[in-house]
Structure formats: structure tokens, C-alpha cells
Amino acid sequence: MNIEHLHGVGEKTLEVLYKNGIYTILDLVNYYPYRYEILKPDILDPSFNDMTVTINAVVASEVKISFIRKNFNALRFYVLSNGERLNVTIYNRGFLKRNLTLGKEIILTGKYQALKHSFVASQIKFGVLREMSILPVYHSLNGLKKGNISNIIKSALDSYEGYSLLPLLESKYNLISKKEALHGIHFPKCQEDVSKASRTLIYEELFDFMFKIEYLKSLKDNVKGIKKNVSFSDILKFINKLPFKLTSDQLKGVEDCFNDLVSSKKMNRLLLGDVGSGKTIVSLIIMYANYLAGFQGAFLAPTEILATQHYNSFVSLLESEGIHIKLILGSMTKREKDSIYKKVLNGEVDILIGTHAILNDKLHFKNLGFVVTDEQHRFGVSQRELLSEKNYQPDMLFMSATPIPRTYALTIYGDMDTSMIKQKPSGRKDVITSVKKESELKTVLLHVLDELKSNHQVYVVAPMIDEDEESDLQNVNILKNKFDEAFHGLVPIGVLHGKLKKKEKEMVMDDFKNGKTKILISTTVIEVGVDVRDATLMIIFNAERFGLATLHQLRGRVGRSDLQSYCYLICNSDIPRLKVLENSNDGFYISSKDFEFRGEGDLFGKRQSGDMTFKIANLKRDYDILLQVKDDAKKFVLEHEYLKYEKYKEIVNKIDFTN
Ligand code: ADP
Ligand code: MG
């Protein structure tokens, strides 16, 4: 149902709601308070003289209005509060006069003057503040008065039908109906109401989430893939030609994927591995196997820089095998893209590497057999399903450097088979990390000089581009000047940030890769996974601005060869969590710590697609519930129970058509 007919929603309010992504009754009733205020009425006492208090009172006289000047009026009247007669003044509430009738119960907040028995109110509410009142507090919707949010939600809730939760959940976990729960969350009478309501809403939200995953999994288990014909000995021959020896985890990953490839079941595999663990080569080897079996492959990367880098490594290892590889980027001209589409369609391209541009409707493969998605966490479920929607059932491999701890990842990605790379390539050393204050920059710069002398390269990361008046964050341009000054302009320095044009970015990146520039100062636009093997030192300014997992990913740009690498985290205050990075190079451990330190925050951040953000559940706090409902959801799917419920049929429809 639409919200435009709701009581109290005029054109202006409607506009505000739309702007905030609220279109339906459901959106409104799902707009939960983010905290509650507990209010108690004060009982007047002379010791409160001159203090701000909140009291229950009853209007005890006529209300007089005086107009002091234009747009400025005062209401004056008497009230009784706990037996005391008070003379009340409130400014600019002329519009309340009508409602302040004799005997009306009101709640007054304001300054009490005990000797004069007077009260200058700053706020009047109608009603009685009970011994303990609990008031929801909402994130403000820009342009709406806070009080109005409650009113609008009230009328939304009145016209919202609600439903019983699944009997499966309701009785098993002792939950309440949806309507009751929504009432409890928006208009609680006591804290107990809130906890009962939120428990129900959390269970439902997590169940719905797991339902989707289990449903997807059930589909995939039934999906026939293309059984590919290729021999492992040919793959081993290729592996032996590689410039390095695979770690045993990498080899295991190759085997897992290979088995999927030659089986008649469709591959749906997640390859998890810390930054620098060498996931790319695993996907490249399977790409090769897929080619030998006679199929085209696609490789989806989250950014142009990464796509280009992968393209280069694929070309260097596979072109000599006679394989045709093409790169497609969103920033290419229509002509360039059209020409690639044509070549892909008629089979002149064996492997296509690119960004989202690969997901274009116009792109059709001749016989797509295998799709790799790199840095899977950057794509949503929707995108990861897209390529397989196009009428073919290619094998799918997803790679991720796990921004979340393993247990959580396994639950969330529960619809996939998983391979894990835990070891680093041999000879790799941990990145030696230390936290420094800006006043200690000199020692850091001396270290930079040492590395430069050994012909190594240095990354410098800063959180922002331009000078920000309100903060003293380091930014790339200031840093460039500082470094030029420190090295007397003798060291070639590149600067990279999001505002550069694509061509400019590429040039800066190429110069650094080729060693033309020795120091690269950048915002975080250089992505996880960028591979410059001679880079051995990284300095991250304003380290406190980044989460642990992000810092670890950033740090992963150094330590990509057998050279000893270093990372300095510059931070002027004492931030305990940064110590975690000094002490560990283990991505899994770090992500679990990150999780702890982040607490209640939104685990996945805003960048994630809709299906990863929760309205009320919190993966960390509610992990036990997630595990509980996982089994329920699985049964619900396997026994086709969901077909009995409109709501879940709808969810399924949405998975099929919009994801
Ligand atoms: P990530 O898992 O972060 O994507 P990459 O696949 O980019 O890591 O690999 C990081 C670097 O390690 C690359 O330069 C790659 O060529 C190299 N590498 C991968 N596997 C090995 C190995 N077994 N021995 C030595 N170097 C390797
Ligand atoms: Mg990578």
C-alpha cells in the first residue's frame, strides 16, 4: 500500500520520505528507532530551584496569549503539579492555545523557579508521563520534525495488517506476531516490550536471510553444469611450467575446482585466502583447463586497475599457449566495446577479463564455460548471479580475501562450496608493522631512504584528497610537498587519487609498476590486490580512520615477494586496536578482531548490496540465532513448506527476477 494516503502525510512530507527511500507502508513500519530514551517525571521540590525539570501537570486556568512583537508570542496560564500552583510561561506556542483547556493533562519541560512558583517551559506534550516512560528515538529524516516520525509511523502501523510469524518460529522460539512486534518496537510501554519485539524481529530477519541462502543453495544443488572433458595431466604439465611452485593449499584449490569442472554438477565455489596468498593463479589454471575443454571464460574484477593487472598476468602466462585474451572496461568507447562483443560472440575471444562492463546485456558468449569473480565481497548476490542468468550454466568461482571471520563467512556464503588458502607462498615474510606518531616521522623517512637505496619502492596512503578545513587529515597533495621537501625533489613521486581521469590513473600506476616513480602517494583508490613486487614499505597516515581489516588489506600491497617488507601506521592518539596489526599478519585473526572492536556497527558497511545489510539483526551479537534459524530455513526449503506462504513465495520471486 502507498503512503500518500496516510493521515498526516502531505506533499512535503511525502517528498522527504521518498528522498529517504521510504515508499510503502512496509518501509515506514520497518523504520526502526535506533535507541530509546527513558523518562521519569520529576516531583517538584524547592531544591530544584532554577533547574530544568520535566513534570506532570494539569491546566488550572484560562490560557492568555500576548503578542510581544511580530512572530513572537507568549502563552501564560496556571497549572497544578503535585499540589503546587504554578504560573507557566511558554514562548511561541500560540498554536497550542486551543488545546490547553481547563483540566487538560500535560507534560512540561522547563525551568522551575521555586520562590516565584513559576515555570518557563521549553516544551509541552499532552498526556501523562508515567513513572517510567520509554520513548523511541529515530534517526532524523532531513526535513521532518522528530515528533512527526512517530505520528506517521503510528498511522502506517494502523493501516498495516501484519501477520503471524511462521508457526515454526513462533512456537519454537516463543515469538510474537509481526504487528505486535512492530507495535512494541515503535510504541513500547516498558523495556520488556522492546526486548520482546526486537527478539521477534531479529529472528524473522535472520530467518528470511537464511531462507534466501538455503533456497539458492537448493537451486544450485540441482543445477546441471556442463561436464567438461580435460585431463589433469595436461593441467599438471602447465603447472610445472609456471615461474613458481604452487603452495599445497593452492594445489588443493586447483584440485577442488578441477573436480567441479569435470563433474556434471555446476561449480559454485568460494576461494578464500588472505591478501597475497595467491588466489589469482588458481583461477588462471582453471581458466586454462576450461579453455582446453573447449569453452570460453570470463573474469570479473571490481576495479579497472585490478582488471588491467589481471589481464596483464593472464596474457603473460597464457598467450604463449595460443589463447586469445581480451580486456573490457566501462570506460572504453562504444566502438571498442561493440567490437569486443562481436569477437566474444563469434568465439574469437577465449578469455574475457573486465569490470562490470562484462555484465552488459549486449554481451553474449558463444559458449561460456567458466566465470571467475574476484574480490567477491565487493559484489552482491545479485551481480554474482547475473552471468549465470543468461541461459547458460557456466561454472562459477568466487574469490575473496575474507573481510569477515571465517565462521561468519561460511554461514553467509553457506550456499557455496569453499576452498581455503591459508599458507603464504614460500619465502614470504610477515610485514613488520609499527605504529608511529607524526612527530616520529623522521625515523620513518630515514627508513624510506634506506629502502629507496636498495631500489625498492614505497607506498604512502592518506585518507583524503583535498585539504579539509575542519580536520587536519593528511592529504595526498600536502604529503607530496612534504616528501618532495624531505628528499630535495630528487626522488620521483607519483600521486594517485579518485579525482584523476582514468587515463591519468593508468599512467600514474604504470609509472610506479615500471619503477619510473619510486614513491606512490595515494588515497585508498589503489585497490587491494594491486601487485608491485618491489614495493617493500608502506606508510599509512591517519591510520585511526581505517578499520583493521582495511588496514590489513592495504598493507597487503607490500610483502608480495621474498623481500622483507614494512608498514608504518601513523597515528597521533593511542588507539589500542592498531596494536593488533603490530602483532599479527593473519588475515583471519585480524578480521575477527576487527569484528570485536567494531562492536555494534554495521558489519558490512554501506557499500554492500542490500541483501547484506540488516535492519535490526547484528551478525556479531546475534550469531547464535543465525545458526539456529539456519537449520529451520533449510528444512523449510527442502520440505517445500515455503510454498504455503505468500510472503516466502514472494521472496523467491524476487530472488529469481531481481537478483
Ligand atoms: P591474492 O590472493 O591477494 O589475489 P595474488 O594472486 O595477487 O594474491 O598473488 C600475489 C603475488 O604472489 C603475485 O605476484 C603472484 O604472482 C605471487 N604468487 C602466487 N603464488 C605464488 C607462489 N606459489 N610462489 C610465489 N609467488 C606466488
Ligand atoms: Mg587478488
Side-chain angles (χ1 to χ4, degrees):
M1 185 176 143
N2 282 334
I3 52 177
E4 60 222 46
H5 308 301
L6 278 184
H7 184 71
V9 175
E11 224 165 89
K12 244 187 162 164
T13 307
L14 205 59
E15 202 178 299
V16 174
L17 293 175
Y18 285 169
K19 252 198 213 134
N20 284 279
I22 296 173
Y23 299 99
T24 62
I25 297 275
L26 199 64
D27 293 339
L28 261 180
V29 296
N30 281 339
Y31 193 76
Y32 300 142
Y34 72 100
R35 65 181 181 87
Y36 295 87
E37 228 164 44
I38 294 175
L39 284 182
K40 268 198 319 212
D42 294 309
I43 304 294
L44 287 182
D45 180 290
S47 65
F48 286 160
N49 185 35
D50 249 8
M51 292 206 232
T52 298
V53 293
T54 297
I55 54 170
N56 283 318
V58 176
V59 179
S61 74
E62 214 185 310
V63 178
K64 296 214 169 98
I65 186 161
S66 50
F67 296 94
I68 298 165
R69 51 173 192 272
K70 202 178 167 210
N71 293 329
F72 193 62
N73 57 54
L75 293 179
R76 293 201 169 86
F77 55 103
Y78 284 92
V79 298
L80 284 174
S81 180
N82 203 36
E84 183 174 349
R85 195 173 148 91
L86 288 173
N87 173 4
V88 178
T89 307
I90 186 163
Y91 295 103
N92 267 348
R93 297 290 201 290
F95 55 91
L96 289 178
K97 182 172 186 296
R98 254 178 342 127
N99 296 318
L100 289 166
T101 48
L102 208 62
K104 191 91 165 187
E105 289 171 324
I106 55 177
I107 303 160
L108 289 175
T109 302
K111 208 176 222 180
Y112 171 53
Q113 278 157 342
L115 296 178
K116 291 197 229 159
H117 298 286
S118 77
F119 198 96
V120 179
S122 56
Q123 200 181 59
I124 295 183
K125 284 187 195 163
F126 293 94
V128 179
L129 194 58
R130 284 177 307 275
E131 195 40 49
M132 188 74 107
S133 286
I134 177 162
L135 296 178
V137 183
Y138 296 90
H139 282 298
S140 64
L141 292 169
N142 275 347
L144 262 195
K145 289 215 189 73
K146 290 220 173 185
N148 282 352
I149 300 180
S150 253
N151 288 339
I152 297 168
I153 289 177
K154 178 107 185 34
S155 45
L157 201 52
D158 285 344
S159 55
Y160 176 72
E161 279 183 23
Y163 48 83
S164 292
L165 246 49
L166 296 173
L168 171 85
L169 294 178
E170 209 173 302
S171 58
K172 185 166 174 187
Y173 303 111
N174 201 9
L175 305 177
I176 54 183
S177 79
K178 180 77 172 202
K179 186 148 182 170
E180 267 179 280
L182 289 174
H183 235 283
I185 208 94
H186 290 297
F187 307 100
K189 293 207 172 57
C190 55
Q191 265 169 313
E192 165 96 21
D193 284 354
V194 176
S195 52
K196 244 180 154 171
S198 52
R199 209 172 96 87
T200 292
L201 297 173
I202 289 167
Y203 262 92
E204 190 194 27
E205 185 167 41
L206 289 175
F207 179 85
D208 290 357
F209 177 72
M210 280 327 290
F211 168 74
K212 267 194 242 176
I213 285 184
E214 291 299 331
Y215 178 78
L216 280 173
K217 185 170 161 62
S218 76
L219 289 187
K220 281 178 188 140
D221 285 348
N222 294 325
V223 171
K224 285 249 179 301
I226 316 159
K227 191 169 164 166
K228 286 160 189 134
N229 201 349
V230 49
S231 87
F232 198 64
S233 62
D234 286 340
I235 306 306
L236 281 178
K237 263 184 230 154
F238 177 70
I239 289 176
N240 287 331
K241 278 195 282 183
L242 290 175
F244 45 75
K245 193 167 170 296
L246 293 189
T247 63
S248 56
D249 280 351
Q250 284 174 318
L251 204 56
K252 176 73 172 43
V254 169
E255 279 167 11
D256 288 347
C257 296
F258 183 86
N259 290 335
D260 292 343
L261 203 71
V262 298
S263 95
S264 58
K265 207 184 109 183
K266 180 184 148 170
M267 178 197 304
N268 181 40
R269 183 169 293 279
L270 179 65
L271 182 62
L272 288 176
D274 206 355
V275 272
S277 61
K279 296 180 289 288
T280 317
I281 191 71
V282 174
S283 68
L284 184 144
I285 292 165
I286 301 303
M287 239 350 148
Y288 176 69
N290 177 66
Y291 162 82
L292 287 186
F295 290 90
Q296 288 174 303
F299 190 114
L300 191 54
T303 65
E304 301 210 337
I305 288 180
L306 280 181
T308 310
Q309 175 182 299
H310 287 316
Y311 170 75
N312 290 331
S313 42
F314 273 59
V315 166
S316 77
L317 291 173
L318 291 176
E319 222 165 44
S320 54
E321 308 288 327
I323 303 180
H324 297 105
I325 304 168
K326 275 269 177 231
L327 178 67
I328 188 163
L329 302 173
S331 59
M332 287 177 166
T333 63
K334 185 171 171 301
R335 273 239 335 258
E336 289 172 293
K337 284 186 205 161
D338 282 344
S339 139
I340 293 174
Y341 295 153
K342 219 170 102 197
K343 289 188 174 140
V344 170
L345 185 61
N346 65 28
E348 282 171 65
V349 172
D350 300 311
I351 296 175
L352 184 64
I353 296 176
T355 53
H356 284 81
I358 287 191
L359 302 174
N360 193 295
D361 282 343
K362 282 203 229 151
L363 180 61
H364 298 281
F365 287 83
K366 186 173 176 214
N367 62 347
L368 182 63
F370 181 46
V371 177
V372 179
T373 306
D374 193 19
E375 305 301 347
Q376 142 69 19
H377 63 280
R378 305 284 300 273
F379 296 89
V381 171
S382 39
Q383 283 153 346
R384 78 183 204 220
E385 293 303 305
L386 251 174
L387 276 168
S388 59
E389 295 270 351
K390 290 187 173 179
N391 287 334
Y392 20 70
Q393 290 298 340
D395 286 313
M396 307 279 266
L397 178 65
F398 306 94
M399 306 198 290
S400 175
T402 54
I404 52 175
R406 181 173 17 185
T407 35
Y408 298 87
L410 288 180
T411 313
I412 291 163
Y413 299 124
D415 60 327
M416 297 188 215
D417 297 315
T418 310
S419 300
M420 196 116 49
I421 305 184
K422 288 187 219 141
Q423 315 150 303
K424 294 193 171 164
S426 65
R428 250 351 118 69
K429 301 181 179 75
D430 280 353
V431 178
I432 297 175
T433 301
S434 47
V435 182
K436 293 267 184 229
K437 296 226 173 354
E438 228 178 299
S439 54
E440 300 169 284
L441 203 55
K442 200 154 183 191
T443 25
V444 178
L445 290 178
L446 286 174
H447 190 173
V448 170
L449 202 59
D450 276 348
E451 293 299 318
L452 293 176
K453 277 186 192 150
S454 322
N455 220 11
H456 297 158
Q457 291 168 280
V458 173
Y459 284 108
V460 177
V461 180
M464 298 186 77
I465 312 163
D466 294 313
E467 223 162 329
D468 181 340
E469 286 173 347
E470 282 166 60
S471 72
D472 54 357
L473 293 178
Q474 295 291 347
N475 68 68
V476 291
N477 291 325
I478 290 185
L479 282 176
K480 165 84 161 75
N481 292 338
K482 271 197 187 166
F483 276 74
D484 273 339
E485 213 173 289
F487 298 112
H488 307 291
L490 296 174
V491 179
I493 299 177
V495 171
L496 191 71
H497 56 75
K499 285 195 184 156
L500 290 180
K501 296 216 176 66
K502 179 194 154 245
K503 275 265 167 335
E504 295 171 321
K505 268 190 219 166
E506 269 175 15
M507 261 168 50
V508 174
M509 215 45 232
D510 281 347
D511 284 350
F512 189 65
K513 276 189 180 173
N514 303 331
K516 248 200 219 164
T517 47
K518 295 296 174 189
I519 299 179
L520 181 64
I521 302 181
S522 82
T523 56
T524 49
V525 287
I526 355 170
E527 298 296 335
V528 195
V530 166
D531 200 29
V532 179
R533 301 176 60 97
D534 281 336
T536 52
L537 195 151
M538 170 172 282
I539 309 172
I540 303 176
F541 283 89
N542 292 106
E544 73 281 1
R545 293 292 298 252
F546 302 98
L548 289 183
T550 308
L551 288 170
H552 177 65
Q553 304 251 7
L554 286 170
R555 174 173 72 172
R557 290 178 214 155
V558 294
R560 295 192 150 249
S561 64
D562 48 11
L563 299 168
Q564 177 61 56
S565 291
Y566 305 87
C567 177
Y568 290 100
L569 304 173
I570 310 291
C571 168
N572 283 331
S573 40
D574 243 342
I575 310 278
R577 71 189 157 94
L578 295 181
K579 290 263 180 298
V580 174
L581 293 167
E582 283 184 329
N583 298 330
S584 173
N585 266 266
D586 177 348
F588 289 124
Y589 172 76
I590 290 167
S591 66
S592 70
K593 280 287 171 194
D594 195 28
F595 213 59
E596 272 174 38
F597 279 109
R598 242 191 287 184
E600 301 293 298
D602 175 12
L603 175 58
F604 295 97
K606 289 257 182 301
R607 273 189 319 182
Q608 298 303 324
S609 72
D611 53 2
M612 280 299 191
T613 47
F614 294 95
K615 288 203 172 63
I616 189 163
N618 173 304
L619 274 192
K620 180 187 167 195
R621 183 194 60 200
D622 304 324
Y623 189 63
D624 293 344
I625 302 181
L626 189 73
L627 289 184
Q628 278 178 0
V629 299
K630 183 182 164 79
D631 291 337
D632 301 324
K634 188 172 191 148
K635 260 220 208 103
F636 191 62
V637 170
L638 290 183
E639 290 170 7
H640 298 286
E641 276 291 305
Y642 67 94
L643 291 173
K644 291 191 207 150
Y645 299 91
E646 274 318 307
K647 176 183 166 190
Y648 291 93
K649 281 199 288 190
E650 231 171 73
I651 292 181
V652 164
N653 284 337
K654 282 204 187 127
I655 296 178
D656 282 349
F657 300 116
T658 60
N659 273 348

